[in-house]
Amino acid sequence: MKRLDLYCIILGTIFLATGTALPGTEKKYSEELYDHLGITNPDHLSAASRRALEWPERSNEWFIQFRTYDLKGDFAYEEGVVRRDPSAMIKVDGRYFVWYSRSTGETQGFDGDIENEKVFPWDRCDIWYATSEDGITWKEEGLAVPRGEKGAYDDRSVFTTEIMVHDGKYYLCYQTVKSPYNKRVKNQIGLSWADSPHGPWTKSEEPILSPADNGEWYGDDLQDRFSVVRKGDFDSHKVHDPCILPYKGKFYLYYKGEQMGEEITWGGRQIRHGVAIADNPLGPYVKSKYNPISNSGHEICVWPYNGGIASLITTDGPEKNTVQWSPDGINFEIMSVLKGAPHAIGINRTLDPEEEPTAALRWGLTHEYKTGDWQYIRGFRSYRIIRHSSYTQGAKAPIRN
Ligand code: AAL
């Protein structure tokens, strides 16, 4: 390295360390922006102020706050039964429909007899459905899609489902696990379709999406999912939380990936989303070369807006609790940062998502953990927070549909 280069590097490091810009390199911003951010001394900018000055211009139209509430009828809390991960809600013949994971029995975990016990609340689930006239009082209608026969790719559990209606047909996509359910088991995505929301459902003979196969486990302990020789793609272990949206004449299957050797990052669990695209609802679904399309998130919650796709990113990663939007279903930008959001949202597809950016989230379904064993389906509402006074009004508003 030349002596001059070294001198410049040392000087730059000193200026950065002392919070002072190199002479002549400080970028200037408008007086309005300085005033808006409360920066009255632009010659002494903290690292936080420098970041704030570089924020993209954003209005508050994507900023919302949520509240949740109990539902009635068969969705009232019931000890002994797990009802969780509600699908989107649709309306057929004046009634709302929802599908969800349902199981019974306590969770034993992975320490005992995994062949016969239940390792997670979402283990040994089938997909059930319920209907409601008002979205508040629900009637459980019964089984929609059962686990497969012994030996099938979905013989252990079918769970975390989403509904898509297209051309008069109904499509349920969902997660699948094949026995034995150990910590290294790969999770896939299955699909069933029907002519009526009441079924009968026809099942895909093979999964429609599988984890990437480019990771390599270290050792042969089936209960160790963190030891790897190579991690592979972001979705090398599990493909989860599928949701198919018809978009631009194709079918976009959004999903959560879990990676072999998942780490805890500066934002928590290393969770990211991907998309796989098909010409037909039944597939084949081809993973986008741009995957992963998020660097954070958990359950998929996506809706069409203004020619693009919006996505609520919750729970894990440095960008958790943000609403994001992409003009093309792939390249997402943060539109707002929220205080928090309900988990596993089942979007209300009967609302007009184009009314405003977050209209699709005005009310719908979520799930909540009463205990580690028992989860139940609840309702949520969201409110736009535009002025300080509307914050109070929103928080106190009664539940209306
Ligand atoms: C959920 C989802 C998937 C996971 C588990 C059940 O919130 O992310 O469905 O497997 O938790």
Side-chain angles (χ1 to χ4, degrees):
M1 190 181 297
K2 288 193 191 127
R3 190 168 293 177
L4 184 66
D5 290 349
L6 190 64
Y7 173 75
C8 289
I9 289 170
I10 293 169
L11 199 66
T13 313
I14 292 169
F15 276 119
L16 278 178
T18 54
T20 321
L22 284 168
T25 62
E26 189 68 83
K27 194 169 159 189
K28 294 287 175 223
Y29 300 85
S30 71
E31 284 309 317
E32 288 77 13
L33 184 57
Y34 288 131
D35 187 53
H36 171 67
L37 294 172
I39 295 169
T40 52
N41 197 342
D43 294 334
H44 294 84
L45 293 173
S46 66
S49 292
R50 282 172 208 273
R51 277 203 303 284
L53 285 162
E54 287 296 319
W55 283 338
E57 216 174 285
R58 291 275 184 265
S59 75
N60 63 16
E61 60 178 349
W62 293 82
F63 183 66
I64 50 175
Q65 199 162 307
F66 292 92
R67 57 180 295 217
T68 57
Y69 49 90
D70 278 339
L71 298 169
K72 296 179 183 160
D74 292 331
F75 279 177
Y77 173 66
E78 183 183 355
E79 191 168 315
V81 183
V82 173
R83 292 188 184 88
R84 57 174 292 148
D85 290 297
S87 73
M89 269 194 288
I90 59 167
K91 208 171 200 178
V92 186
D93 298 332
R95 273 193 297 164
Y96 293 107
F97 281 70
V98 67
W99 289 260
Y100 48 94
S101 317
R102 187 185 190 280
S103 67
T104 52
E106 290 168 6
T107 295
Q108 282 91 18
F110 287 93
D111 294 335
D113 171 14
I114 54 165
E115 282 293 348
N116 295 301
E117 292 180 343
K118 190 175 163 187
V119 301
F120 281 129
W122 51 88
D123 184 12
R124 302 190 187 282
C125 274
D126 301 295
I127 294 166
W128 284 52
Y129 75 116
T131 61
S132 170
E133 264 163 31
D134 57 5
I136 300 283
T137 305
W138 290 85
K139 176 176 180 291
E140 189 157 76
E141 299 282 349
L143 180 66
V145 179
R147 279 163 273 178
E149 301 280 319
K150 197 169 170 33
Y153 69 93
D154 60 351
D155 70 357
R156 179 70 180 232
S157 196
V158 289
F159 56 119
T160 313
T161 189
E162 260 303 339
I163 183 81
M164 174 181 75
V165 188
H166 183 74
D167 267 352
K169 285 203 187 305
Y170 299 83
Y171 299 88
L172 283 175
C173 53
Y174 42 84
Q175 294 177 200
T176 63
V177 174
K178 184 174 173 13
S179 268
Y181 204 147
N182 56 58
K183 288 188 186 170
R184 285 190 177 180
V185 76
K186 297 249 176 171
N187 292 197
Q188 297 172 298
I189 291 172
L191 185 78
S192 289
W193 55 95
D195 292 328
S196 153
H198 294 286
W201 296 91
T202 305
K203 238 186 219 189
S204 58
E205 277 170 22
E206 299 293 332
I208 59 163
L209 203 75
S210 294
D213 60 4
N214 53 4
E216 193 187 332
W217 296 112
Y218 175 79
D220 51 14
D221 180 356
L222 296 177
Q223 301 299 25
D224 174 5
R225 73 184 178 98
F226 300 116
S227 299
V228 286
V229 175
R230 202 174 41 250
K231 292 172 67 159
D233 285 355
F234 80 104
D235 60 351
S236 57
H237 191 183
K238 301 173 186 178
V239 287
H240 270 179
D241 297 273
C243 173
I244 306 174
L245 289 185
Y247 182 56
K248 291 191 173 162
K250 298 195 185 264
F251 298 88
Y252 279 52
L253 192 177
Y254 288 92
Y255 65 98
K256 175 187 90 185
E258 289 193 13
Q259 193 175 26
M260 292 163 61
E262 177 192 304
E263 291 167 52
I264 295 292
T265 72
W266 59 289
R269 286 184 65 187
Q270 197 175 22
I271 298 284
R272 288 141 299 182
H273 297 169
V275 66
I277 301 167
D279 292 333
N280 296 295
L282 303 189
Y285 284 91
V286 179
K287 291 180 184 175
S288 167
K289 291 191 169 68
Y290 293 94
N291 284 347
I293 54 162
S294 81
N295 54 39
S296 302
H298 202 93
E299 295 98 352
I300 297 291
C301 176
V302 285
W303 65 97
Y305 178 71
N306 195 23
I309 300 290
S311 175
L312 176 68
I313 298 287
T314 66
T315 315
D316 297 304
E319 291 183 7
K320 61 176 159 286
N321 298 332
T322 60
V323 189
Q324 308 197 358
W325 182 81
S326 67
D328 56 5
I330 287 176
N331 292 290
F332 287 84
E333 297 289 346
I334 295 174
M335 307 305 285
S336 65
V337 181
L338 309 181
K339 277 189 165 183
H343 290 176
I345 278 186
I347 271 202
N348 185 344
R349 300 268 181 230
T350 71
L351 301 172
D352 175 8
E354 298 295 344
E355 229 173 65
E356 56 179 339
T358 59
L361 298 178
R362 214 61 332 132
W363 68 276
L365 301 175
T366 174
H367 73 204
E368 198 160 300
Y369 279 67
K370 194 78 160 183
T371 67
D373 284 325
W374 316 125
Q375 294 93 57
Y376 69 125
I377 294 176
R378 304 186 74 217
F380 78 82
R381 297 193 62 78
S382 74
Y383 306 89
R384 282 191 61 192
I385 311 293
I386 308 162
R387 291 175 296 277
H388 290 86
S389 59
S390 68
Y391 172 90
T392 324
Q393 282 160 17
K396 284 186 180 161
I399 294 160
R400 277 175 275 113
N401 288 320

